[in-house]
Structure formats: C-alpha cells, structure tokens
Amino acid sequence: MIQVNQASISEAAIMAEVQYHPAASKRAATLKAAESLIIGELLRQRAKALGLTVKSELNSASDDDFLDALISRELPIPTATDEECQQYYKLNPQRFASSPLLEVSHILLAAAPEDDKARVEAKILSEQIILKLQQGDSLAELAKHYSACPSKETGGSLGQISRGQTVPEFERQIFSAEPGLLPQGIESRYGFHIVFIARKVPGKLLPFSAVQQKIAEYLNEKVRRKAVAQYIHTLIVTAEIEGYDFNLSASPLMQ
C-alpha cells in the first residue's frame, strides 16, 4: 500500500491500473501504474485544497480534467510569438521542405530476416554484382537474372520515389545518397538491395505562412509539457509519500 499525504492507494488499485501502462516487463508496468496513481491523487488533493470543482460530461473527472483546472488556476503558460516561430523556421528548414524525388532502380536479393545464412550469402552476392556494374554490366540485365522484386520486368526500375513510399531502413539510405550506383548494398527486412539513383530532385522549402500554425502548435505544446512536468515535480517533492521511492530523474511520466 502507498500513502500519499495520508491518502491510501491499495495494491489492488495499482494492479487494476497496470493494464493501461504497457511496458517491457511486469515490474516496469507496475511502477508506471503506481506513479500514475500517485500523480492523480496529488492533482486531486491540490484541486481540493484550492477549492476547485471539476466536472466532466460523465460526472467522473479524470486526472487530465484536474490537471487542466490546475493549469488554468496556477500555471499560466506562454504561447509562442511570431518571432519565435520565424526563428524556429529559419533554424530547421529541413523540417519544412517537401520531399525530394528520386528516380531509382534496384536489384533485390531476397533473404528472410531470421535466416542468417541467406543474409550472409545475399551480402556477398551484392558485392559481386556491384563489382560487375562498376565494370560496365547492365543493371537491367542483372535485375532480370537476380532480382526477387517484380520491378525486374522493367529493368529494376522503381520509378520516382518520395519519402514515405518505402520501408524506413531503405529510405534512410537512398535519401541521404547522391545520384549514381551506391557502393554498397542496402540491407532491409527483405534482403539486400543494389541501388542505382538516376536522378535526384531536391525538395522545395514551404513558405513560412504555410507552416506557421503548425510551428506555433508544436512550440506551445513543447512549453506546456515542460511546465506541466515541473509543476508535477513540485507537487511530488513537497508531498509525504510512503511505500514508493519516487525516482524523479528516471520517471517516464516526468520526461
């Protein structure tokens, strides 16, 4: 049992809460559940001390309802100015550009993720095929012979690709590469890819007016999360909590 300023949180309540906090282990889930219940109790106690009445549509106020009421009363949170939004836009142009377009051809040497032997063989074969391509062999002809992708029927061509159209491990490599034959195969969940980038069209920077609202929402939410974490930290360190060692620096709820 946990005591929070003389209020009790039972083991049964913690076990019932665990289902809402998936984690890598039962212990981690239990800790997260306990922390959540402690914080919820502290929010309720603080709202009561301030004489705040919290109502919800279901007549059963949640922790978020109490937190919102307390923020309105005790925690004025500043909003991002136009100047701050413009500064963020200037410092992070890559976040506000349209996706580049790549014209890509490839040869897929299939190998299941769990088949270590096939993976090694595919890697070795990819090196051999890349050497052939560097010596002037035709990618289209080699694709017809080796590739496990339907694109082998069109010379290995994948056409034009933008971000989000391929698996992440493949995408990370091709969008950071320059046009030409990649010197090494790209490993993905499907096997090894031998890749030739025929053309790369850079993305275009979106105008500030098109993204200003999203920037403001992002900055405002970032400030809010930090302020809320600090507020909850203050509630915890000034409370009398027994039966739980609240390690603030490691708590996932305090990040």
Side-chain angles (χ1 to χ4, degrees):
M1 180 178 292
I2 298 172
Q3 294 289 120
V4 182
N5 294 327
Q6 286 74 56
S8 299
I9 298 176
S10 68
E11 183 177 350
I14 296 172
M15 291 300 101
E17 179 74 13
V18 164
Q19 62 181 309
Y20 304 112
H21 301 275
S25 67
K26 182 178 180 181
R27 181 178 184 278
T30 302
L31 291 176
K32 289 168 70 175
E35 289 179 1
S36 179
L37 291 175
I38 292 169
I39 291 171
E41 179 60 33
L42 289 171
L43 294 175
R44 285 173 167 77
Q45 290 180 8
R46 183 60 182 165
K48 183 177 180 181
L50 294 174
L52 297 178
T53 301
V54 179
K55 296 180 180 179
S56 71
E57 294 180 1
L58 300 177
N59 297 318
S60 178
S62 69
D63 294 349
D64 287 341
D65 295 324
F66 283 99
L67 181 58
D68 289 342
L70 288 167
I71 288 173
S72 297
R73 177 71 171 270
E74 295 198 291
L75 197 64
I77 299 176
T79 56
T81 64
D82 287 348
E83 291 75 17
E84 289 169 333
C85 291
Q86 289 177 359
Q87 181 72 0
Y88 187 83
Y89 174 78
K90 291 176 182 178
L91 292 176
N92 299 275
Q94 72 283 359
R95 291 176 174 261
F96 309 110
S98 60
S99 172
L101 282 177
L102 301 182
E103 189 174 319
V104 177
S105 296
H106 83 144
I107 297 170
L108 169 60
L109 307 177
E114 67 280 2
D115 192 336
D116 293 338
K117 182 174 181 292
R119 290 257 153 185
V120 171
E121 291 173 348
K123 184 177 186 299
I124 293 172
L125 181 56
S126 72
E127 295 168 351
Q128 295 171 348
I129 293 174
I130 288 172
L131 182 58
K132 289 183 178 182
L133 291 170
Q134 291 171 338
Q135 294 172 342
D137 283 21
S138 165
L139 186 144
E141 291 301 318
L142 291 172
K144 288 180 181 179
H145 183 72
Y146 291 105
S147 185
C149 178
S151 64
K152 68 180 183 180
E153 301 301 333
T154 55
S157 174
L158 294 174
Q160 289 189 337
I161 295 177
S162 60
R163 291 192 187 276
Q165 291 185 308
T166 63
V167 292
E169 63 270 28
F170 183 75
E171 181 175 289
R172 281 193 298 269
Q173 298 293 327
I174 62 172
F175 280 97
S176 63
E178 294 302 318
L181 176 67
L182 272 61
Q184 294 180 327
I186 296 176
E187 185 173 7
S188 79
R189 66 196 68 179
Y190 302 114
F192 277 80
H193 305 257
I194 296 145
V195 178
F196 179 79
I197 300 174
R199 191 163 62 103
K200 184 175 186 178
V201 180
K204 294 182 179 179
L205 184 65
L206 299 172
F208 175 69
S209 58
V211 296
Q212 181 178 5
Q213 183 62 35
K214 286 188 176 181
I215 293 174
E217 291 172 357
Y218 169 77
L219 293 179
N220 290 341
E221 180 58 24
K222 187 177 180 180
V223 171
R224 184 183 186 276
R225 287 198 304 268
K226 183 176 180 179
V228 167
Q230 292 173 339
Y231 180 74
I232 293 174
H233 176 277
T234 301
L235 292 180
I236 292 170
V237 298
T238 56
E240 293 183 9
I241 300 173
E242 299 179 6
Y244 189 85
D245 183 10
F246 223 123
N247 186 344
L248 295 179
S249 63
S251 171
L253 297 177
M254 298 301 297
Q255 301 305 312

